[in-house]
Amino acid sequence: MVKQRGCQLLVGLMVMMAATVVRADQGALVQLVEYIGADYVNAVSDGAVTSADEYGEMQEFSRLLAEGIAKLPASDGKAELSDQAARLRDAVSMKAPVTDIKALTRAIHDTLVGSYGIPVMPRSAPDLARAKQLYRENCMACHGARGQGDGPAAAALEPAPTDFTDIDRYGDRSLLGLYTTISQGVEGTAMAAFAPSLSESDRWGLAFYVGSRAVSPSLAEHGKQALDQDMPLKRNLDLADVIARSPGDVRSQQGESAYAALGYLRSTPAPLFSQNRFIQLSADKLTEAQQAYQAGNYAAAKAAALSAYLDGFEMIEQQVAAMDPATMRQAESRFMAVREAIDNRRAPEQVSDRVNAAQRALEEAASVLGGQGLSPAATFSASFFILFREGLEALLVVAALLTFTRKAGAQRASRHIHYGWLAALLAGGLTWYLASTLITFSGASRELTEGVAGLIAAGILFYVGFWMHSNSNSQRWLGYIRDKVDSALGRGTVWTLAFVAFISVYREIFETILFYQALWTQVDGQTQAFLFYGIGAAVLALAVVSLLFFRVGMTLPLGVFFRVTSLVLLVLSVILLGKGIAALQEAGLISVMHLAVPTVDWLGVYPTVQGLLAQLLAVVLAVLLWWKGNRTRST
């Protein structure tokens, strides 16, 4: 079993590494296509080659672009991408006009991002003051103090360093393309790769910094006024647009005001990273779900409805709950009602009504949060309850197992339990690293992981709970376990206890990490300290609970402790069963039938027929097995 679990972990890591390679390849393609669009003007003019070296580079890059697109995984837009890349390659070979090349490269860029998504997004607002310092240390020698490509080392470089203040070149480069160039460098030039030496957040900061060098104060002011006065523009120009779209593309499709607004958000990105971006994402996905359902595309409607909750509202759920629990529960139930209506193919009017109700709940959540970020009290409260709630379930499981093995003197079993939860901490650290640097966990993948882990933990806790109960009244067994407990606990049982400790702790760590990542994006310099105060208070509270559990447990007779612990583990198994079912419903793997009952999160009770029925069956089975065990012992 251990070997099999190791193989499963290896396969999982290989899948994540493969996904990272795909995203890296996609980022390189974005970089290539933007580079062609921006630099072709230096290679060809009026159908004639003006620089043989530049033109040779354009030919090579257009060939590499076509080859890279051919290696991408299948998608609905891949055939169109291949056709566009072939036309670009032909246009370069025919020395087509610059306007034609720009039109083709923008079309390829839009299709690439639209078909395969944005490979990476910044997780928090870039620190432009730090970016300015990093620019001086790493970039100024080539690109110059103002970013004009006239640094001390520039004269000796071929091709010349980029002039970031060139307004035409600015119009052709997205922040995503700049980030990829900074991360991966440009082969055959002096532009080095900074991915090994600078963190992801630092590279995003540099991308925003150099990507705003061409934005004049007057353009930025125009953009700020446009955003303040035009609410539809503010809703439509979100973080994804600012990251993935070039200013020239925005100007051609949305006009001068949007072009100016994009410039303002490049130079002042903080508004993109407020808690409202999650609300906006949810609102957009709900609208998308409604439109897809009306068009008869039920699969797309379901996917959009899931994303509206998992990738949007759930990321601010704890913050809303800290300020107004009723608003949080109402929004949660309305999102669930939308998914139920789509799953059960309700009339389009009913789906629209439920979408509208969910949109109103989002507006109420936005009102609760306000527009100025979380207050210190809300930050502390959200931070405390995230860790305390998630940590309590894992703590009770591990504390119950350790108290049992300590009372019985089972040193080998205690060591294996410690191995289990320590391994979970290491796996949690790896998850944090992957989630921070390499992998972006979608809401669906997050819920799938939580759901599967929850069901596994529920099943094992159910088994261990009844194993304890079945032996709680056996005086002969209790006497034997006092004398030879490590022998009584067979090798399989010891590894089961270790696995229970691992899966119980890792499931909570996984969710906690992702919630804290979302919370981190909602705080500013004045409230960050309260996030850590909340963590400290939660750790202290969990330590007190742990101490009380050990103190009380060690004073109970072994038989009584067996019965109490078995009951605790059985209750926890029912709670985890409900949470596992809910997570799989949120991931879209289990259908939803909504019930008008309140949510009791700490008991794993959610208003769905499937979840409540599963918990009811588990309770009935527990009662029957308990009764049967007591009856057998009495006879």
Side-chain angles (χ1 to χ4, degrees):
M1 289 296 293
V2 175
K3 183 178 181 181
Q4 181 181 5
R5 287 194 294 272
C7 291
Q8 290 172 343
L9 179 59
L10 179 61
V11 170
L13 289 174
M14 290 174 65
V15 169
M16 288 190 288
M17 289 172 65
T20 303
V21 170
V22 170
R23 281 193 288 273
D25 288 345
Q26 184 189 335
L29 295 179
V30 170
Q31 178 189 10
L32 271 177
V33 72
E34 290 190 0
Y35 198 84
I36 295 170
D39 273 28
Y40 183 80
V41 67
N42 298 321
V44 175
S45 177
D46 296 327
V49 174
T50 56
S51 170
D53 289 340
E54 291 279 1
Y55 183 65
E57 192 176 67
M58 294 297 102
Q59 290 179 305
E60 179 188 7
F61 283 0
S62 61
R63 175 181 59 80
L64 291 174
L65 179 66
E67 293 174 355
I69 288 173
K71 294 176 182 178
L72 288 173
S75 79
D76 291 340
K78 186 176 180 180
E80 182 181 2
L81 265 176
S82 298
D83 178 65
Q84 290 171 332
R87 285 190 281 132
L88 176 64
R89 189 174 179 182
D90 291 342
V92 170
S93 68
M94 296 173 63
K95 307 176 187 64
V98 173
T99 53
D100 292 354
I101 298 297
K102 285 184 180 291
L104 277 170
T105 54
R106 287 178 181 172
I108 293 172
H109 179 280
D110 291 346
T111 307
L112 181 62
V113 172
S115 299
Y116 291 94
I118 301 173
V120 65
M121 292 270 280
R123 300 171 186 277
S124 59
D127 185 344
L128 294 186
R130 175 170 171 76
K132 184 176 182 179
Q133 181 62 35
L134 289 172
Y135 177 86
R136 290 173 178 169
E137 296 171 358
N138 298 278
C139 313
M140 191 168 68
C142 296
H143 293 282
R146 298 182 180 180
Q148 295 175 317
D150 58 353
L157 299 179
E158 180 62 37
T162 296
D163 177 359
F164 294 118
T165 65
D166 181 345
I167 198 68
D168 291 329
R169 187 178 181 84
Y170 162 81
D172 290 324
R173 298 304 304 271
S174 71
L175 292 176
L176 175 60
L178 290 169
Y179 169 83
T180 305
T181 300
I182 292 167
S183 299
Q184 301 178 10
V186 180
E187 188 175 353
T189 74
M191 181 61 203
F194 285 95
S197 57
L198 295 180
S199 67
E200 179 181 324
S201 60
D202 283 342
R203 283 176 274 139
W204 273 119
L206 278 174
F208 272 88
Y209 181 77
V210 300
S212 61
R213 292 300 82 203
V215 179
S216 65
S218 59
L219 181 65
E221 181 60 27
H222 178 199
K224 184 179 186 302
Q225 292 177 2
L227 287 171
D228 291 340
Q229 298 170 7
D230 189 344
M231 291 306 295
L233 174 61
K234 191 172 185 177
R235 288 195 299 269
N236 294 332
L237 201 59
D238 60 11
L239 178 63
D241 286 317
V242 175
I243 292 299
R245 297 175 66 189
S246 68
D249 177 45
V250 170
R251 171 186 264 166
S252 63
Q253 294 186 8
Q254 294 178 250
E256 289 296 327
S257 292
Y259 173 79
L262 183 70
Y264 167 73
L265 292 172
R266 280 191 172 197
S267 58
T268 312
L272 293 165
F273 294 86
S274 70
Q275 66 270 15
N276 289 332
R277 73 185 179 98
F278 292 109
I279 291 176
Q280 187 59 54
L281 187 151
S282 285
D284 291 343
K285 288 295 182 180
L286 284 171
T287 300
E288 182 181 328
Q290 182 179 6
Q291 292 172 346
Y293 194 85
Q294 291 174 343
N297 191 342
Y298 301 125
K302 181 177 180 179
L306 281 170
S307 179
Y309 176 72
L310 297 176
D311 298 319
F313 183 76
E314 191 184 32
M315 304 310 292
I316 57 168
E317 191 175 65
Q318 295 298 317
Q319 294 91 295
V320 177
M323 302 183 74
D324 191 338
T327 296
M328 185 277 291
R329 288 193 295 270
Q330 181 186 64
E332 191 177 51
S333 65
R334 288 184 179 179
F335 277 104
M336 189 177 297
V338 171
R339 298 196 298 272
E340 180 197 22
I342 292 173
D343 283 339
N344 294 305
R345 302 289 193 273
R346 306 290 188 193
E349 295 78 12
Q350 288 182 282
V351 172
S352 295
D353 288 343
R354 296 192 181 186
V355 166
N356 291 335
Q359 295 279 24
R360 290 193 295 273
L362 279 176
E363 293 174 1
E364 293 172 9
S367 177
V368 165
L369 292 175
Q372 305 302 320
L374 294 177
S375 67
T379 300
F380 175 87
S381 179
S383 179
F384 174 83
F385 283 109
I386 286 173
L387 182 57
F388 185 75
R389 188 190 71 172
E390 303 300 332
L392 185 60
E393 293 171 6
L395 173 65
L396 289 177
V397 172
V398 174
L401 297 179
L402 283 175
T403 304
F404 156 62
T405 54
R406 287 185 181 183
K407 284 177 68 68
Q411 295 182 357
R412 181 167 62 90
S414 294
R415 283 198 302 271
H416 280 74
I417 294 170
H418 285 305
Y419 295 157
W421 70 262
L422 286 173
L425 291 181
L426 291 175
L430 177 62
T431 300
W432 172 82
Y433 170 74
L434 293 174
S436 300
T437 58
L438 299 178
I439 303 295
T440 300
F441 290 99
S442 69
S445 64
R446 181 180 68 245
E447 297 298 337
L448 178 62
T449 302
E450 292 174 11
V452 171
L455 294 184
I456 292 174
I460 297 177
L461 288 179
F462 198 88
Y463 165 76
V464 173
F466 268 99
W467 174 77
M468 287 186 168
H469 173 68
S470 63
N471 292 289
S472 62
N473 288 326
S474 174
Q475 295 303 317
R476 179 180 178 184
W477 192 88
L478 290 173
Y480 182 69
I481 200 172
R482 290 190 185 96
D483 296 332
K484 299 181 179 180
V485 66
D486 275 335
S487 299
L489 293 173
R491 184 176 180 84
T493 302
V494 168
W495 278 109
T496 298
L497 296 179
F499 185 63
V500 170
F502 174 84
I503 197 69
S504 299
V505 173
Y506 178 72
R507 179 192 179 277
E508 307 305 334
I509 289 176
F510 182 84
E511 187 171 13
T512 301
I513 287 170
L514 297 173
F515 274 133
Y516 271 114
Q517 282 191 327
L519 182 59
W520 182 257
T521 67
Q522 313 307 311
V523 299
D524 55 29
Q526 295 180 338
T527 56
Q528 281 178 1
F530 290 88
L531 183 147
F532 293 106
Y533 297 156
I535 291 175
V539 169
L540 181 61
L542 290 172
V544 171
V545 172
S546 177
L547 180 62
L548 291 175
F549 195 99
F550 278 120
R551 286 283 180 87
V552 173
M554 294 299 290
T555 61
L556 294 175
L558 191 58
V560 175
F561 178 77
F562 261 47
R563 288 192 291 273
V564 172
T565 302
S566 66
L567 181 60
V568 171
L569 295 182
L570 289 171
V571 170
L572 286 174
S573 73
V574 174
I575 293 172
L576 290 178
L577 176 61
K579 292 190 173 186
I581 294 292
L584 293 179
Q585 286 177 320
E586 291 174 353
L589 294 183
I590 297 179
S591 61
V592 177
M593 291 184 63
H594 187 70
L595 283 177
V597 297
T599 296
V600 187
D601 186 72
W602 62 278
L603 286 178
V605 174
Y606 301 96
T608 70
V609 171
Q610 293 85 349
L612 290 174
L613 183 59
Q615 288 182 306
L616 179 61
L617 290 175
V619 171
V620 170
L621 178 61
V623 171
L624 288 176
L625 291 175
W626 197 289
W627 172 77
K628 183 179 179 181
N630 289 337
R631 184 179 180 186
T632 300
R633 285 193 294 271
S634 64
T635 58

